[in-house]
Amino acid sequence: MSFDRQIRIAPSILSADFANFGAEIRAIEDQGADWVHVDVMDGHFVPNLTFGPPAVKAFRPHVRSFMDVHLMIAPVDTHIEAYAEAGADMITAHVEAGPHPHRTLQAIRATGKKAGIAINPGTPAETVSCLLDLCDMVLVMTVNPGFGGQKFIHSQLDKIARLRAMIGDRPIHIQVDGGIDPVTAPLAARAGADVLVAGSAVFKGGSVERPEVYGANIRAIREAAEG
Ligand code: DX5
Ligand code: ZN
């Protein structure tokens, strides 16, 4: 897969209908989603609990694009294999999830999947400076993780710009996650982000019966970011 920094929209299924994931995944992809962002939460690293490897395995046959699995879990190393087996295309772990993020990224790479490292709003960009040669993406949280529908934290924009400078021309995506909508998307893109996760801003007002609303929401975010 060749690398480029085109803007990619990755809807988070945390905001989807939890009783209808297969249809929801097909709908967002039909309506223009570039990736499918899967938020795994353990109720320990973050104050919410979502789904484990069996659910991710069930999503897999419905995903035609790219399944981007965001592990908000700690400890994380012991679970990497299971999410790789379940069919993740990208596995992103939090740098705060344990004492050995370098080894965590090695373990993700060893599964043959793309490797991402995520940093929370309170974690400086420099924290990942020794990890850049082991990852395909850095995920900058623009909300404190655990829930959809939160407000974008604008102080993270400087961090995104600093990260963009640190990365240089390495083939590493910068993903932003949390509070992304047509107003905040251009700020994040201008700072250097190229993969935009959006949950509530994509799913709001739509349904599998009215998927065209998803399409309009995705286009609004993409056009704002590219504008
Ligand atoms: C939050 C998750 C995000 C969240 C985004 O912990 O990692 O992916 O679902 O939801 P919105 O776009 O509604 O902020
Ligand atoms: Zn996420």
Side-chain angles (χ1 to χ4, degrees), residues 37 39 70 72 177:
H37 185 79
D39 282 314
H70 176 193
M72 288 161 275
D177 186 6

Side-chain angles (χ1 to χ4, degrees), residues 71-88:
L71 296 181
M72 288 161 275
I73 68 176
V76 59
D77 292 2
T78 47
H79 298 280
I80 290 166
E81 190 69 37
Y83 284 99
E85 304 260 302

Side-chain angles (χ1 to χ4, degrees), residues 10 12 14 37-41 68-72 94 139 141 143 145-146 175-178 197:
S12 161
L14 184 69
H37 185 79
V38 176
D39 282 314
V40 176
M41 300 180 182
D68 163 35
V69 175
H70 176 193
L71 296 181
M72 288 161 275
H94 269 262
L139 191 175
M141 290 304 299
V143 295
Q175 182 176 64
V176 289
D177 186 6
V197 174

